[in-house]
Amino acid sequence: MKHIFQQGTNPAKPTLLMLHGTEGDENSLLAIASHIDPEASVLSVRGNVSENGMPRFFKRLAEGVFDMEDLKIRTEELYEFIAQAAKEHNFNRENVIAIGYSNGANIAANLLFTHEDSFKGAILHHPMVPNRETALPDLTTIPVFIGAGTNDPICSAEETTELEKLLTNAGAKVEVHWEEFGHQLTMPEVEAAKIWYDKL
Ligand code: MLT
């Protein structure tokens, strides 16, 4: 997959896997990565799907309606890519924290839903419930930060709470941070994610 890898200065730090929203690319979240942890390595990936020229991580049939077959295939593709990238760039596959926004948060959530060893932790900005067909694996002790908006028209507050419950029931340690905004990723939300990350 097309990506940027930036070697961190502290090898003990996790590798931050950056997953952009629809219309973003591998450059979109680099500033957020260096804000969250300036010493960490960064693997920032571009989604392989193009929707009228807009990069995404999986196809959708309409706004908020996912192509479940494609989601499954793309989730496996990304899972395999992370392992390959760990070999190529020589980082510890077991020490990866995903940071995704919107469509990128949705594929990160689906990785959590389908593999118990996807990530050491995850920051999900405005995720939806990625699928309701899977029995979640054991996610005991995996820390997950969810950034949500009380007025998010794409991901309702109810859906955020549903996602929180599904992850918590699988054993994850979930923290939901609410902003009174919509679907946009705001600086206060990034700051809240940083405070959460610094406590890991
Ligand atoms: C999705 O398709 O993943 C969600 O609707 C969010 C987005 O607009 O990308």
Side-chain angles (χ1 to χ4, degrees), residues 142-195:
I142 296 184
V144 179
F145 173 96
I146 296 177
T150 50
N151 296 308
D152 189 333
I154 295 174
C155 180
S156 68
E158 291 75 23
E159 186 157 350
T160 301
T161 304
E162 184 186 352
L163 179 63
E164 176 187 14
K165 280 198 189 124
L166 288 166
L167 290 169
T168 304
N169 289 344
K173 274 171 43 196
V174 185
E175 180 177 315
V176 181
H177 173 83
W178 292 97
E179 295 282 340
E180 289 180 3
F181 296 114
H183 195 63
Q184 69 268 42
L185 180 49
T186 60
M187 255 340 264
E189 187 175 316
V190 173
E191 285 305 333
K194 180 166 172 55
I195 291 167

Side-chain angles (χ1 to χ4, degrees), residues 21-22 51 56 58-60 62-66 101-104 106-107 126 128 154 183:
T22 301
E51 183 185 272
R56 285 179 54 85
F58 56 89
K59 291 183 195 159
R60 62 181 164 183
E63 175 78 58
V65 184
F66 301 160
Y101 167 58
S102 190
N103 182 244
N106 290 339
I107 198 158
H126 302 261
M128 297 165 66
I154 295 174
H183 195 63

